[in-house]
Amino acid sequence: MQRVFEALANPARRRILAYLAHAELSAGDIASRFDMAKPSISQHLSILESAGLVSSEKRGQFVFYRLVPESLTNTLHGFVQEVCPVARPLKRESAALARKDDETP
Amino acid sequence: MQRVFEALANPARRRILAYLAHAELSAGDIASRFDMAKPSISQHLSILESAGLVSSEKRGQFVFYRLVPESLTNTLHGFVQEVCPVARPLKRESAALARKDDETP
DNA sequence: TATATACTTAGGTATATTCCTAATTACCAA
DNA sequence: TTGGTAATTAGGAATATACCTAAGTATATA
């Protein structure tokens, strides 16, 4: 939880998550979208990964990164639930949606 | 948005939000729950306030802080929506809930 | 094998964050 | 007015973060 919020505090890392929302991307693909040195992006990716927000897989020379969407929604949902009791029913709805999503890929 | 995520990155500030979920509290009430100097808490409160997550009102000698729940849910919802398209329908559901909530206070 | 490409690790620097103590401001009450 | 309580502002030190360049590892290809 702490790691997730720390990870989200940086705009470059949130942008990386947004890129990964649409497709799996290699570290180089991601880096090329930023005006920043590759090692910096690599570091951001490792922070996102140790927060559990993304996962990586090496294929050949490339390392592909993808989103772990549950970890984001679970953490944020859990927190919002704690702070804003109003939002509590959303969790059930979220679970229902997740099931629906499994059925129709 | 940046300010909200920065504010949430600190565990003391998240804990303050959790306290304020249940009731409005004075700065001193909040500080007394922490093993931390009062000025540090005051600073955390000002960070939360400039992020729009809490609001304050001075009454006599006391400054009372309260949650601004919409700002939290809106920011997090907006972000999750951008990153996890799966969660998109939640927004409509959230709006419906908000309306319901208005009707039955 | 030699060379190029993809990526990470290592090390260093500038800046930001988080905490503290001391001082200040604002309000209440004797 | 004087003294006490509540809270913030000011200033400073320790630590963490975010970036860079240079060097290293691993894989593909000529």
Side-chain angles (χ1 to χ4, degrees), chain A residues 21 67 69-70 73 93-102, chain B residues 80-92:
Chain A
L67 209 65
E70 320 82 58
T73 51
E93 183 61 19
S94 164
L97 273 165
R99 282 193 297 277
K100 220 171 192 171
D101 209 56
D102 282 344
Chain B
V80 167
Q81 195 184 334
E82 188 179 6
V83 172
C84 308
V86 174
R88 204 164 288 159
L90 284 177
K91 205 186 180 187
R92 288 194 296 275

Side-chain angles (χ1 to χ4, degrees), chain A residues 29-59:
Chain A
D29 284 340
I30 295 167
S32 70
R33 289 165 156 85
F34 286 86
D35 184 20
M36 199 185 281
K38 268 179 84 172
S40 302
I41 296 297
S42 189
Q43 199 186 352
H44 284 310
L45 287 168
S46 96
I47 288 168
L48 287 168
E49 186 160 28
S50 60
L53 292 170
V54 307
S55 64
S56 66
E57 185 191 354
K58 181 156 191 169
R59 293 205 294 273

